[in-house]
Amino acid sequence: MSASFSLSDCDVIGFDLDHTLCRYRLRDTSRLIYDGFSHYLVSERGFSKDLLNPAPEHWDFCSKGLVLDLEEGNILKLAADGSVLRASHGTKHLSTEEIVKLYGQKREWKHFKSISEGFTRSAKYYFYDNYFDLPGALLCARIVDCLGERESSKKYDFWKDMIAAIEHNYNSSAFKENSGLYFPALKEHPSKYVHPCPESVKSWIRRLKEAGKILVLITSSHSDYCRLLCEHILGKNFEELFDIIITNALKPGFFSQTPDQRRFHTLENDKEQDVLPFLDKPGWYSQGNWIQLYDLLKKMSGKPEPKVVYFGDSMRSDIFSAHHYSNWETVLILEELRDDGDKEQEETKLRALKKRVKYEASEPKAPYSPSKQWGSMFVETLPGTQNGVETLVPTWYCTCIHTYSTIAIPSIESIADLPLDYKFTRFSHKLSNIDGYYPQAPREFTSINEPVTAE
């Protein structure tokens, strides 16, 4: 495989929508998601009102790449081999001694093999890898805090209530029915929660089409919500930018399931209609699977094996699945790579000044800023056992980035001004594994003399 990657070599450019083409105003969206879940749990499931109104400092708890151990009520930061690097019980930080007591001298988490082989879902654990998930991590940790100390033999059983809260806010009819808190707020004030696409991104998309690329939008969002977002960020004529739009894709099932399991449907007035035996033309569809999509892409490109690249933000739903099942190139959108982490804070100050409201320094941190409690989501510094030299250990999430992503970028805007034939250095086990980050590797790697590998 070539050490470089270029969009000019691809026949098909695929996009996720949420947190990929559509950038959210993360502070406002995170709070909205948290409120939607917590209000449901308090009003409908009898949970403590203490869950409501998290303090600004509580948001420091949020960090990508964490795993919730549902059996023990613990949140875990894992190394590439599945050992526990850091942990909390609820939001309470666990000491090294407490971690060893719970997980043994080697600090091994027993479910690591199961989750690492395919990002499987389970009633025993949950993996947090995107901004829609992170408010739920904070909420689950605070639920454990509210439930108080448990005997080690007892297991936590609140997950069924969290699932109910998620379904209440995001079920297929919630947008139309204005149920929950999330969709009504987005519909009323989309500009409060969503950044419009910069002109550079719109021009970049048009350049791709002019270069003969087939453009595909694949999102798990339903068609009505997709339409709202796309009209706001791209304009009323957004459909002209894409050859194929697939909504309610229910990723990762779109990639992992067969045509017999996941058929495409036609859409009429945002309602699913006929089940299709195959795709025979471009258009807007619902559900489906990558195999039948790829058959259509062969027909459209005139090539027996068209090369596809897919942009997405979720390791589980987008990157791993498109790489593992479809063998597509993948571009991970990772806002943690942004070098303008203070921009949203400045926007908050400006909004406050306009309203003649005093800006408080206690505003919650931007969700992509490093967590003080969890440290870097990429690496962990361990005390040295020999000569006191510290060891830098890649996290499991970092390993996943290097293994399943072709490259990782902070946003589509960060590459929109580059020529389409620009050659990116891909992640590779044979080279330095930090070279796949564009425009630069995370700050944590800048002082490392030796490359961090994903092995």
Side-chain angles (χ1 to χ4, degrees), residues 30-299:
S30 296
R31 181 57 192 264
L32 179 62
I33 293 170
Y34 183 96
D35 287 348
F37 294 164
S38 62
H39 280 269
Y40 177 85
L41 292 177
V42 171
S43 63
E44 302 297 328
R45 296 290 173 132
F47 281 76
S48 170
K49 291 183 179 179
D50 290 343
L51 293 178
L52 304 175
N53 303 316
E57 61 269 18
H58 289 156
W59 292 99
D60 177 71
F61 188 84
C62 296
S63 180
K64 283 183 185 175
L66 301 178
V67 174
L68 170 60
D69 182 341
L70 284 161
E71 294 178 307
E72 305 296 339
N74 297 334
I75 311 286
L76 310 176
K77 178 182 180 181
L78 301 174
D81 63 358
S83 58
V84 179
L85 295 170
R86 298 193 193 191
S88 69
H89 183 69
T91 62
K92 177 183 174 292
H93 174 76
L94 295 180
S95 67
T96 298
E97 292 74 20
E98 289 172 318
I99 293 174
V100 170
K101 182 178 179 181
L102 286 167
Y103 297 101
Q105 195 64 39
K106 293 184 178 181
R107 300 160 68 144
E108 295 175 325
W109 183 52
K110 62 184 179 182
H111 297 301
F112 179 68
K113 182 178 180 181
S114 175
I115 193 173
S116 65
E117 288 182 346
F119 293 91
T120 55
R121 286 274 168 88
S122 169
K124 298 178 180 179
Y125 52 78
Y126 191 88
F127 174 53
Y128 294 99
D129 79 326
N130 64 74
Y131 292 127
F132 280 157
D133 275 347
L134 294 191
L138 172 60
L139 180 56
C140 286
R142 296 190 70 214
I143 288 173
V144 173
D145 292 343
C146 289
L147 292 176
E149 295 296 325
R150 295 283 192 103
E151 296 294 331
S152 59
S153 61
K154 295 187 74 173
K155 304 303 179 185
Y156 289 86
D157 60 358
F158 62 83
W159 190 243
K160 64 181 184 300
D161 301 301
M162 274 297 298
I163 294 297
I166 293 169
E167 290 179 346
H168 173 71
N169 279 275
Y170 296 128
N171 70 68
S172 59
S173 61
F175 186 94
K176 182 179 180 181
E177 296 173 356
N178 257 18
S179 62
L181 294 183
Y182 184 81
F183 289 128
L186 261 292
K187 289 165 73 172
E188 186 173 1
H189 297 296
S191 60
K192 179 181 178 181
Y193 300 102
V194 173
H195 292 281
C197 268
E199 282 303 319
S200 61
V201 172
K202 296 178 186 177
S203 297
W204 178 77
I205 294 173
R206 287 191 289 267
R207 279 198 292 140
L208 289 169
K209 282 192 73 72
E210 291 167 1
K213 308 302 180 185
I214 300 169
L215 301 188
V216 184
L217 179 63
I218 308 173
T219 174
S220 291
S221 292
H222 286 262
S223 56
D224 46 13
Y225 184 52
C226 172
R227 192 181 305 278
L228 171 75
L229 292 181
C230 287
E231 287 184 354
H232 183 73
I233 67 173
L234 295 170
K236 295 289 186 180
N237 298 324
F238 73 92
E239 292 181 59
E240 297 175 1
L241 297 175
F242 304 100
D243 298 283
I244 302 168
I245 298 176
I246 300 169
T247 50
N248 196 24
L250 302 175
K251 295 174 294 181
F254 180 85
F255 294 105
S256 64
Q257 295 187 347
T258 66
D260 289 340
Q261 297 171 308
R262 290 289 311 281
R263 293 289 190 184
F264 280 99
H265 293 251
T266 58
L267 278 168
E268 184 176 335
N269 297 322
D270 293 318
K271 292 183 179 180
E272 291 182 354
Q273 302 294 323
D274 299 333
V275 177
L276 300 174
F278 55 87
L279 294 184
D280 62 353
K281 60 183 179 181
W284 189 326
Y285 302 98
S286 184
Q287 296 197 44
N289 60 88
W290 82 270
I291 297 173
Q292 290 182 314
L293 170 63
Y294 196 62
D295 286 339
L296 176 58
L297 296 176
K298 293 177 185 178
K299 178 180 176 181

